[in-house]
């Protein structure tokens, strides 16, 4: 839809310029106890231009996509850079030039399903839950799908077209026991359009059964005992740790504003068992959940090794931070909406698998916890983090014990990574969440399970 | 077509195509932003956007489309798509639109930005911080002007508009000296104008001073049941679980802990919570509720007694309860009669809580998380900044444990909060 030739507008470029046409399309269906609470779709598209003149950025955007408006937006962005130039001068900039051309689109090759078919899919899933698990106090199903379509050129010779989709279904189950409300959620889905990710409702029944079993375990669960504990963080939580607590501290704009990682380059920051990479688009020959082949500054996206065998090896960059720190660009400049400017963002951040078996890791703990699912996470420029834990189990004498009630874990991420003594040999990716940093953005997170020490909240 | 004509066209098209009820809204937004990082203004950004939302109800079945185009071809397609969504949906008698009310147009705030003054104020602020707080660095921030022209119409003849302009300031910062680093902190304010220096707004001077002190934050190994003084910067997020339990989703699923508590005491009698969406005292207003009613100021909790839920028309119809007359925006907590200095003096052992990094409270309101940008208080004195301190409590239960509320409060332009002291909180170090 947005495959228009942008090269004809290059004649309007007078300074370093990026020109982007973009559309984000969302589909949402929400069922609460079988009733459709949301049945909507949305699309937001437009054009934007970003110009750098003597170190000052100018940005402008408009939702109307036409020859006239595109020329106006380029002019407006240039005028905005000029406006700052009348107030301050930062000197001529010399960004690294890495002209690159990229075309990647992941439209489904299946027959497209209309909203009727998607609602039918969700109703079947809901009927399964309603029929099989009548003791639930409430059930919520959410389908959310996002297509991001981008077309861009830059004045330094790059051009790209991409359509990157993702689709997820969330199941939230509640059960009331003696006046107390217990909840679990399960997320399924990933990279691709609805038709590629969800074939038939029956494929999700196993996930629903597992969520229900987790819920029953939670109703019989115990409070965690607060304090510093040996734990196994399941792959999903290790992925969040990699993203939230380590990844953000190594985004070069945060490094420049004083993140703790600024002092750690080429130093040992983690156990030698830990290697952490921000993958651009491919891991072991497979497409990552949020593949980025070229970033929104027109830079070829390449894998960036952040930690290698425990040593901090580098940061993620846009053109400006790479220039300021005299390092190579990495292809991490990404924008969410047409009206957003590119920021330094992660793509697919993962701890690399190790050699241990998950069962052996659990067996090695005398008194600790196996933490499986997190609701939310926050991290600091110090790498101190907090994650809400919504599913976890006691480990007693090397065996899984009772489920625990919702709690939180916290720690200094680099200290936690130094405490890692085992890393599992498997790998789990997900892209259900959105990373927030001025703008939201889809990101992939991955990892194996890790055995480490964290501070757990509880009684 | 101009704005109202666009909505008229959509409503007429829906009617012509057999749609029983329709609701259409349109907003036009203009934003100008001076963005800064690493201590200097880095970007000037101007954006324009349109948001057209179409809701069609046929035989109690609802379909919704949102787009940012208003040309006739896009409108015609969106109308057809909304009808297709409604046809695909399931009937629910709770799908409805607001009844007829007299038309009204609302205007508030500042109608045009002053780009030069925006730059002046921001540059003045950045230069001041560079001198007065030399070890403090900005991760990011911006001074923006946003003007939104919003139109609401439905097939019952409801016809409202709101034209609103405001300045927004946000800054996020951290301090660093040698290899010692503080937690990041941030603040935010909406403003009607730029008469005031940015350094003087909200609690910013105190937050910047604290940020520099927090490079020496230390953990402790105590675990005790004590008091927390929640600062205005932290109070809004502390109250958000309460808002969830008052709103549609928790009531419809039956999970609200407050579902049977209307007109009952749920908090200390010292606690009064208001929503003032149409008060001129704020830099921003919401004159029209999302479901199409003229918004009203209201007391949510009065001297500890719950006076209203926050149910929309849909939530009210689903639950058989009354629709709220307010949408719950622009919240404030009434100030108390204790000076902040005395509140600290009266604290035997506890934490001055400036920011809280916590997990989502569970459905029972239980929460735990880390005290950020916070200080240890002992025997009436602030002792030192702390880190790696965990706090456990219950988001709703603690409203009954309010001991004191400060005389002082801070106006954020969309909320106004005092300092609130709460007892019986579990505080644990490493």
């Amino acid at each position: 839809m947005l495959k228009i030739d942008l090269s004809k507008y290059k004649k309007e470029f007078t300074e370093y310029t990026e020109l982007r046409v973009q559309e984000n399309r969302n589909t949402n269906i929400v069922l609460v106890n079988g009733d459709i609470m949301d049945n909507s779709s949305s699309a937001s598209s437009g054009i934007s231009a970003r110009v750098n003149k003597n170190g000052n950025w100018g940005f402008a955007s408009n939702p109307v996509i036409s020859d006239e408006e595109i020329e106006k937006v380029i002019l407006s962005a240039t005028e905005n850079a000029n406006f700052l130039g009348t107030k301050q001068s930062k000197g001529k900039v010399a960004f690294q030039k890495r002209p690159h051309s990229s075309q990647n689109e992941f439209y489904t090759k299946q027959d497209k399903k209309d909203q009727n078919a998607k609602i039918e899919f969700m109703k079947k899933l809901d009927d399964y839950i309603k029929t099989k698990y009548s003791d639930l106090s409430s059930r919520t199903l959410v389908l959310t799908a996002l297509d991001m379509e981008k077309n861009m050129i830059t004045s330094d010779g790059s051009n790209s077209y991409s359509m990157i989709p993702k689709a997820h279904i969330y199941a939230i189950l509640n059960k009331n026991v003696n006046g107390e409300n217990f909840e679990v959620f399960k997320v399924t889905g990933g990279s691709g359009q609805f038709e590629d990710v969800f074939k038939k409702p029956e494929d999700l029944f196993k996930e629903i059964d597992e969520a229900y079993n987790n819920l029953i375990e939670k109703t019989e669960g115990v409070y965690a005992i607060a304090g510093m504990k040996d734990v196994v963080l399941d792959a999903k939580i290790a992925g969040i740790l990699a993203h939230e607590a380590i990844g953000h501290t190594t985004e070069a704009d945060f490094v420049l504003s004083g993140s703790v990682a600024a002092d750690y380059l080429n130093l040992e920051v983690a156990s030698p068992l830990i290697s952490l990479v921000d993958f651009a688009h491919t891991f072991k020959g497979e497409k990552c959940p949020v593949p980025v082949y070229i970033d929104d500054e027109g830079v070829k996206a390449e894998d960036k090794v952040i930690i290698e065998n425990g040593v901090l090896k580098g940061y993620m960059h846009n053109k400006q931070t790479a220039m300021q720190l005299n390092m190579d660009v990495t292809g991490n400049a990404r924008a969410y909406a047409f009206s957003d400017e590119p920021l330094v963002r992660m793509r697919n951040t993962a701890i690399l698998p190790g050699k241990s078996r998950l069962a052996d890791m659990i067996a090695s703990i005398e008194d600790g916890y196996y933490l499986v699912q997190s609701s939310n996470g926050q991290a600091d420029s110090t790498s101190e983090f907090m994650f809400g834990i919504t599913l976890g189990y006691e480990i007693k004498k090397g065996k899984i014990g009772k489920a625990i009630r919702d709690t939180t874990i916290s720690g200094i991420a680099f200290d936690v990574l130094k405490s890692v003594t085992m890393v599992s040999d498997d790998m789990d990716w997900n892209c259900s969440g959105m990373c927030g940093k001025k703008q939201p953005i889809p990101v992939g997170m991955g990892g194996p399970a890790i055995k480490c020490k964290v501070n757990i909240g509880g009684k | 077509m101009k704005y109202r004509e666009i909505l008229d066209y959509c409503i007429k098209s829906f009617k012509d195509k057999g749609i029983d009820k329709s609701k259409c809204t349109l907003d036009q937004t203009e934003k100008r932003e001076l963005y800064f990082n690493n201590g200097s203004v880095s970007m000037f950004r101007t954006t324009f956007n349109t948001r057209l939302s179409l809701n069609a109800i046929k035989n109690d079945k609802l379909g919704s489309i949102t787009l940012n185009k208003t040309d006739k071809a896009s409108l015609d397609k969106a109308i057809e798509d909304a009808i297709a969504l409604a046809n695909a949906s399931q009937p629910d008698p709770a799908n409805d639109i607001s009844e007829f009310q007299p038309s009204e147009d609302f205007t508030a705030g500042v109608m045009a930005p002053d780009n030069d003054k925006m730059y002046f104020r921001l540059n003045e602020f950045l230069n001041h911080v560079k001198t007065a707080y030399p070890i403090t660095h900005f991760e990011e921030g911006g001074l923006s002007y946003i003007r939104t022209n919003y139109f609401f119409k439905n097939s019952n003849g409801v016809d409202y508009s709101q034209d609103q302009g405001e300045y927004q300031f946000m800054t996020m910062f951290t301090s660093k000296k040698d290899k010692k680093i503080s937690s990041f902190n941030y603040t935010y304010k909406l403003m009607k104008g730029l008469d005031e220096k940015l350094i003087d707004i909200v609690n910013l001077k105190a937050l910047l001073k604290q940020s520099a002190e927090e490079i020496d934050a230390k953990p402790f190994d105590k675990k005790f049941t004590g008091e927390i003084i929640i600062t205005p910067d932290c109070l809004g997020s502390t109250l958000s679980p309460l808002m969830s339990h008052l709103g549609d989703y928790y009531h419809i699923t039956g999970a609200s802990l407050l579902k049977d508590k209307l007109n009952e005491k749920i908090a200390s009698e010292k606690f009064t919570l208001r929503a003032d969406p149409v008060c001129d005292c704020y830099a921003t207003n919401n004159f029209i509720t999302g479901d199409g009613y003229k918004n009203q100021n209201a007391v949510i909790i009065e001297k500890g007694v719950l006076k209203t839920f926050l149910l929309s028309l849909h939530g009210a119809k689903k639950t058989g309860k009354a629709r709220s007359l307010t949408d719950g925006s622009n919240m404030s907590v009434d100030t108390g009669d204790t000076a902040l200095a005395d509140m600290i003096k009266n604290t035997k052992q506890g934490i001055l809580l400036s920011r809280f990094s916590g997990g989502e409270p569970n459905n029972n309101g239980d929460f735990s998380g880390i005290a950020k940008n916070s200080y240890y208080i002992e025997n009436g004195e602030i002792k030192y900044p702390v880190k790696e301190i965990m706090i456990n409590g219950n988001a709703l239960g603690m409203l009954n444990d309010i001991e004191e509320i400060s005389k002082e409060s801070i106006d954020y332009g969309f909320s106004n909060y005092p300092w609130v002291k709460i007892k019986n909180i579990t505080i644990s170090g490493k």
Side-chain angles (χ1 to χ4, degrees):
Chain A
M1 177 192 165
L2 301 178
K3 284 183 178 174
I4 50 179
D5 177 17
L6 296 178
S7 62
K8 62 183 176 181
Y9 304 106
K10 279 186 108 171
K11 64 181 188 302
E12 310 294 330
F13 296 175
T14 56
E15 305 291 338
Y16 171 86
T17 303
E18 299 151 5
L19 175 65
R20 177 161 38 99
V21 184
Q22 181 174 343
E23 180 167 80
N24 289 358
R25 297 179 289 271
N26 292 84
T27 299
N28 290 295
I29 297 171
V30 179
L31 271 70
V32 177
N33 298 333
D35 292 338
I36 296 177
M37 308 294 280
D38 188 8
N39 172 25
S40 62
S41 72
S42 64
S44 181
S45 63
I47 46 177
S48 65
R50 191 171 70 146
V51 169
N52 193 295
K53 185 175 182 184
N54 293 329
N56 293 309
W57 288 106
F59 184 96
S61 72
N62 195 300
V64 180
I65 304 169
S66 67
D67 285 345
E68 186 185 353
E69 291 303 326
I70 290 174
E71 286 172 13
K72 270 192 204 169
V73 160
I74 296 166
L75 181 63
S76 180
T78 308
E79 285 173 353
N80 287 347
N82 285 336
F83 170 79
L84 280 188
T86 64
K87 310 285 184 185
Q88 59 185 30
S89 178
K90 297 185 172 183
K92 195 81 180 165
V93 295
F95 295 139
Q96 291 170 45
K97 285 186 185 174
R98 301 282 176 86
H100 184 60
S101 180
S102 173
Q103 303 271 319
N104 287 283
E105 53 188 288
F106 296 99
Y107 286 102
T108 183
K109 293 184 173 60
Q110 318 282 325
D111 291 339
K112 282 290 282 177
K113 288 194 164 75
D114 63 13
Q115 195 84 348
N116 216 344
K118 291 173 188 167
I119 288 175
E120 200 54 37
F121 186 104
M122 297 292 278
K123 288 291 286 180
K124 277 189 181 168
L125 200 53
D126 185 70
D127 285 344
Y128 175 77
I129 303 171
K130 183 185 175 186
T131 307
K132 188 163 182 183
Y133 301 118
S134 57
D135 56 333
L136 293 174
S137 53
S138 75
R139 58 192 193 279
T140 300
L141 290 174
V142 178
L143 165 67
T144 171
L146 168 68
D147 291 351
M148 292 181 81
E149 185 181 9
K150 294 180 177 180
N151 182 0
M152 73 162 306
I153 57 166
T154 66
S155 57
D156 58 4
S158 291
N159 66 80
S160 75
Y161 171 80
S162 65
M163 204 300 282
I164 310 294
K166 67 171 196 165
H168 289 87
I169 290 177
Y170 299 73
I172 304 161
L173 308 182
N174 283 77
K175 184 174 169 66
N176 202 297
V177 178
N178 299 327
E180 199 173 352
N181 206 323
F182 294 88
E183 180 175 293
V184 294
F185 70 93
K186 193 85 180 173
V187 190
T188 57
S191 179
Q193 291 192 294
F194 178 88
E195 293 77 6
D196 292 328
V197 177
F198 299 111
K199 303 292 183 194
K200 54 185 191 298
E202 291 79 6
D203 294 342
L204 304 187
F205 289 174
K206 194 176 156 208
E207 307 267 359
I208 296 293
D209 293 342
E210 193 178 305
Y212 179 81
N213 290 338
N214 293 154
L215 180 62
I216 297 304
E217 288 167 344
K218 272 181 85 169
T219 63
E220 298 159 358
V222 295
Y223 286 101
I225 308 294
M228 188 66 76
K229 297 286 180 184
D230 286 322
V231 300
V232 173
L233 300 182
D234 199 53
K236 288 183 184 63
I237 299 181
I240 298 173
L241 183 76
H243 173 94
E244 289 288 350
I246 302 294
H248 279 303
T249 68
T250 59
E251 291 171 329
D253 50 348
F254 281 168
V255 170
L256 281 162
S257 61
S259 98
V260 69
D263 299 316
Y264 291 167
L265 197 60
N266 295 318
L267 298 180
E268 189 169 296
V269 294
S271 153
L273 297 173
I274 294 293
S275 291
L276 193 154
V277 179
D278 183 54
F279 290 98
H281 48 76
T282 307
F283 173 71
K284 286 192 173 176
E286 297 280 325
K287 179 162 66 82
C288 288
V290 182
V292 176
Y293 297 87
I294 184 169
D295 75 4
D296 294 326
E297 292 181 336
V299 172
K300 184 181 180 184
E302 296 185 274
D303 298 346
K304 182 63 197 169
V305 176
I306 309 294
I307 297 174
E308 187 173 25
N309 300 327
V311 176
L312 182 68
K313 301 302 283 186
Y315 307 128
M316 291 165 277
H317 288 284
N318 60 18
K319 284 180 176 172
Q320 178 147 353
T321 63
M323 183 186 71
Q324 287 173 292
L325 290 170
N326 196 25
M327 294 175 172
D328 275 345
V329 288
T330 54
N332 283 87
R334 303 176 62 205
Y336 176 65
F338 76 90
S339 53
D340 288 329
E341 74 280 16
L343 303 174
V344 180
R345 307 304 294 260
M346 283 171 265
R347 299 152 316 181
N348 302 278
T349 315
I351 294 172
L352 300 187
K355 293 180 176 168
S356 299
R357 289 174 56 244
L358 178 61
D360 295 337
M361 294 164 69
I362 291 168
S364 72
I365 291 180
E366 183 67 15
D367 180 18
Y369 295 97
Y370 173 43
L371 305 174
V372 179
Q373 192 177 55
S374 172
S375 56
N376 67 326
Q378 296 161 14
D380 210 318
S381 39
T382 59
S383 93
E384 186 178 23
F385 67 91
M386 181 292 312
F387 300 148
I389 299 294
T390 51
L391 186 63
Y393 299 87
E394 293 178 321
I395 302 175
K396 299 285 185 193
K397 295 182 178 169
K399 295 197 180 328
I400 294 288
K402 289 192 166 182
I404 57 170
R405 290 174 172 234
D406 291 354
T407 186
T408 54
I409 57 170
S410 63
I412 306 292
F414 286 113
D415 292 347
V416 170
L417 290 188
K418 281 179 182 160
S419 76
V420 170
T421 52
M422 298 173 94
V423 178
S424 76
D425 56 4
D426 52 357
M427 182 78 170
D428 182 83
W429 284 102
N430 85 83
C431 63
S432 58
M434 299 282 266
C435 172
K437 176 182 168 182
K438 194 181 183 204
Q439 313 152 14
I441 199 94
V443 287
M445 300 178 200
I450 59 174
K451 181 187 168 189
C452 58
K453 285 182 187 293
V454 297
N455 195 22
I456 190 163
K459 290 283 181 183
Chain B
M1 285 187 278
K2 287 300 285 179
Y3 309 136
R4 277 199 159 92
E5 291 168 0
I6 291 166
L7 298 186
D8 286 338
Y9 178 81
C10 295
I11 287 171
K12 182 174 183 310
S13 297
F14 279 133
K15 189 177 178 188
D16 292 346
K17 292 173 186 295
I19 289 299
D20 308 326
K21 299 169 182 175
S22 62
K23 176 182 99 170
C24 304
T25 65
L26 174 70
D27 59 70
Q28 292 281 124
T29 304
E30 170 194 355
K31 181 172 182 179
R32 291 169 194 233
E33 177 191 39
L34 284 167
Y35 181 74
F36 64 95
N37 57 12
N38 300 324
S40 70
V41 181
S42 56
M43 182 181 67
F44 184 40
R45 178 169 173 257
T46 54
T47 62
F48 298 88
N49 208 354
T50 299
R51 183 182 158 89
L52 175 64
S53 176
L54 306 179
N55 294 270
I57 300 171
K58 186 176 182 183
N59 300 329
D60 292 334
K61 298 192 292 186
L62 171 67
S64 303
I65 290 284
T66 302
L67 65 162
N68 69 341
K69 302 285 180 287
T70 56
D71 59 279
K72 187 171 177 302
S74 297
L75 294 181
D76 288 342
K77 181 176 185 307
I79 288 162
E80 291 298 336
D81 288 348
I83 292 171
L85 287 180
N87 286 332
S89 192
Q90 303 288 320
D92 183 347
N95 290 327
D96 205 352
I97 58 173
S98 55
E99 61 274 17
F100 175 77
Q101 301 146 76
S103 298
E104 220 166 327
D105 297 318
F106 305 96
T107 302
V110 52
M111 290 296 110
D114 183 336
N115 296 341
D116 290 317
K117 196 161 188 182
M118 282 174 69
Y119 182 87
F120 173 79
R121 281 288 180 231
L122 192 52
N123 199 45
E124 171 189 64
F125 170 74
L126 294 172
N127 286 334
H128 178 85
V129 171
K130 215 173 281 179
T131 310
Y133 307 92
I135 66 167
T136 302
H137 310 275
F138 294 107
E139 293 192 2
E140 61 173 353
L143 177 61
S144 308
Y145 169 79
I146 296 177
R147 181 169 173 183
T148 304
N149 213 342
Y150 175 75
F151 298 87
F152 183 107
K153 282 195 172 216
N154 73 19
S155 55
N156 283 343
V158 174
D159 181 354
Y160 286 129
S161 78
Q162 171 173 333
D163 191 1
Q164 164 105 31
E166 69 216 17
Y167 288 103
Q168 297 183 355
F169 178 67
M170 192 287 283
T171 176
M172 184 174 169
F173 47 86
T174 188
S175 295
K176 192 172 186 185
K177 188 177 181 186
D178 303 326
K179 289 189 177 177
K180 294 189 293 185
I181 182 170
S182 71
S183 287
F184 73 78
N185 206 348
Y186 62 91
T187 195
Y188 182 77
K189 180 165 183 174
L190 303 183
M191 298 167 288
K192 286 181 180 174
L194 296 172
D195 293 339
E196 201 175 3
K197 288 182 178 179
L198 296 175
I199 189 66
D200 292 329
I201 64 171
V202 290
N203 202 22
L204 193 46
K205 273 183 181 163
L207 295 182
L208 289 166
K209 176 176 171 287
Q210 289 170 2
S211 176
E213 293 170 358
E214 285 157 14
I215 63 168
D216 292 315
K218 53 187 180 184
F220 58 61
D221 57 6
K222 305 176 182 71
K223 179 177 180 182
F224 59 92
T225 301
E227 297 157 315
I228 54 172
I229 297 175
I230 304 174
T231 68
D233 301 297
C234 191
L235 191 60
S237 59
T238 307
L239 294 174
S240 66
L242 170 69
M243 296 298 107
S244 298
H245 284 267
L246 294 175
D248 281 359
Y249 181 75
Y250 276 66
H251 277 270
I252 291 170
T253 59
S256 171
L257 295 175
L258 301 173
K259 61 187 174 194
D260 303 318
K261 303 288 186 187
L262 195 62
N263 295 316
E264 290 188 18
K265 186 171 178 297
I266 63 162
S268 158
E269 61 187 24
K270 293 175 178 162
F271 186 73
T272 293
L273 178 71
R274 300 172 191 278
D276 294 313
V278 298
C279 178
D280 185 47
C281 58
Y282 288 112
T284 191
N285 296 113
N286 295 301
F287 293 102
I288 310 154
T289 66
D291 47 10
Y293 292 92
K294 188 176 173 181
N295 213 349
Q296 296 184 30
N297 299 333
V299 181
I300 299 171
I301 297 173
E302 186 172 26
K303 295 181 178 174
V305 176
L306 179 62
K307 303 304 284 185
T308 181
F309 297 128
L310 294 173
L311 295 175
S312 69
L313 175 65
H314 183 259
K317 287 197 166 238
K318 288 296 283 182
T319 59
K321 293 174 178 168
R323 183 184 66 79
S324 170
L325 299 179
T326 181
D327 69 354
S329 57
N330 288 358
M331 283 206 312
S332 67
V333 170
D334 282 9
T335 52
D337 52 11
T338 308
L340 173 61
D342 292 334
M343 190 183 277
I344 293 165
K345 269 185 205 161
N346 300 338
T347 303
K348 192 175 174 199
Q349 189 178 27
I351 296 285
L352 178 67
L353 185 71
S354 289
R355 186 164 73 85
F356 179 69
S357 175
E360 294 288 331
N362 66 16
N363 283 353
N364 302 306
D366 295 331
F367 69 86
S368 63
I370 315 169
K372 294 278 192 178
N373 311 103
S374 296
Y375 286 77
Y376 178 57
I377 305 173
E378 192 176 80
N379 296 326
E381 280 183 31
I382 293 176
K383 294 292 187 185
Y384 53 83
V386 292
K387 63 179 179 182
E388 297 180 68
I389 303 300
M390 261 200 163
I391 289 178
N392 291 41
N394 184 282
L396 301 180
M398 71 182 192
L399 296 176
N400 281 306
D401 285 331
I402 292 172
E403 285 191 314
E404 294 175 313
I405 297 179
S406 70
K407 288 178 180 174
E408 303 89 338
S409 70
I410 293 187
D411 171 19
Y412 294 91
F414 62 101
S415 62
N416 195 320
Y417 294 128
W419 282 256
V420 175
K421 187 158 96 177
I422 293 170
K423 63 183 177 182
N424 293 332
I425 298 290
T426 305
I427 300 164
S428 49
K430 287 179 86 172

